[in-house]
Amino acid sequence: MRFAPSPTGGLHLGGVRTVLYNYLFAKKYGGDFIVRIEDTDQTRFVSGAEEYIFDTLKWCGLEPDESVQHGGSFGPYRQSERKETYRKYAEQLVKEGFAYYAFDTPEELEKMRHDYKMEHNPSPQYDHTIRMKMRNSLTLSAEETQSLLAEGTRHVVRIKMPEHETVTFTDMIRGEVSFDTSLVDDKVLLKADGMPTYHLAVVVDDYLMQISHAFRGEEWLPSAPVHILLWKYLFGLENMPYWAHFPLILGPSGKLSKRDGAKYGFPVFAMNWADPNTGDLTEGFKEKGFLPEAFINLLALLGWNDGSEQEVFYKGELIEKFSMERVHSAGAKFDYEKAKWFNHEWIKRSDAGYLKPEVRILLEKSNIIVTDDRLLEKVIGLIKDRCTLLTDFVQQSSFFFNTPGSIDLDAIKPKWNEARQMFFVELIRNYQLSPDWHTHTLENNFKEIAAANDLKPGDLMLPFRIMLVGGKFGPGVFEIAAIIGKDETIKRIEHTLSIL
Ligand code: GLU
């Protein structure tokens, strides 16, 4: 199995799902998962993108068995470092009549696009209808071609797409797929700088790296006939990998747009360069507060299910249950609310100790420094069911460590009266004298004082909560008081009474 990204930008949702399905399939059948960097298009190269791809895989827990970073016996795993490998295959194709040298200059190509532009064909391609009108080894004599080559004239190698042939292959998701070769242009295989194009390199490398299965996004389906013909011409079809083209991931209103991308937090995590497509520095899933386990889980279900109602899967279970037969052929809809649901489920299932390092970093970013490790773990355990995203831990826990910066007085004032004021004055006195500081004692005392004053404890709980937390949220109010301690509890009640 291989994932073959081009280092042209961040890894987005669809790309990581392709990685995931590759990974699950490889692990299920005891295969190797290879990552090959397809960097033959120097014009689209984005520095830092390769590192980003590997960081993403690491964060997701989808580590390759072989790659630029992991080594392996089929390297180098970066196509730019394999440049010398490809020319001989291009030459072989020319020699056998499956490809040809083309000497057309950029101006000549421009002229062709202009001259042959017609209403029914607004952007003419270099194909079987045009090739005999251009300057290439099919139209020049053998001597002319030889002397142009000998002089070092800039040239490319193009595939000679056959006319009116049907290329058919079996896609693991779509079944039999056929193409009319006349509709496909004579793609460049080797560029003027000697670099192969993606089309040649992908086939040569899949062969040399003994790839058994090639899974990729649906956007590559139109290129499949070129790849299949190259397989046939160079290596014979019986060695060809099994292909699968995964459907697109759709947004709420159809195709997932770039705007959706920014809105839903693709890519996986923030890039340290502006997105070449949108120019934005996009926040990713990681920064939004997703757990990698949740991210993998939700991606797995974007286009696959195991036939049951089960939605939360551990990675080990995914490996065990994944099957290509159950990958849908229709595009899966990405729903951000559902994605958050998965994350909430995973936060609930995670140990406080596991969440602690990430929560600590988030708190530190908000200038909340927690030195008591056990306290932090206890607080996380208490509030994790209320947190959908990791970032929610900041708001849900800051009042345990810092006095709230503001108090929502408007939520207290409308029902505030003399009796309530007296209640809290008495509560302060009681708590001050209380020999123990446990949740149940605090609660019992609270209720007893309320009863003695003919007040409903339920009516007093909200003001109490707001005094301690600042607003209408947080776990059980007596648990909060127990954790923040006597002095801090009394101080917060006194503070609110003083400003009311
Ligand atoms: N280099 C291609 C990409 O960037 C890979 C396509 C394939 O897997 O064949 O998506």
Side-chain angles (χ1 to χ4, degrees), residues 94-119:
V94 175
K95 205 177 299 151
E96 293 173 2
F98 298 122
Y100 57 91
Y101 299 113
F103 300 96
D104 315 277
T105 61
E107 295 73 38
E108 286 167 336
L109 291 173
E110 194 47 55
K111 186 170 181 310
M112 175 275 278
R113 280 183 216 113
H114 176 262
D115 289 355
Y116 297 107
K117 191 169 162 172
M118 272 175 279
E119 209 168 317

Side-chain angles (χ1 to χ4, degrees), residues 5 36 46 48 52 104 118 147 264 299 303 306 410:
R36 181 177 67 225
V46 173
Y52 177 93
D104 315 277
M118 272 175 279
S147 76
Y264 300 127
L299 271 188
D306 77 335
D410 292 343

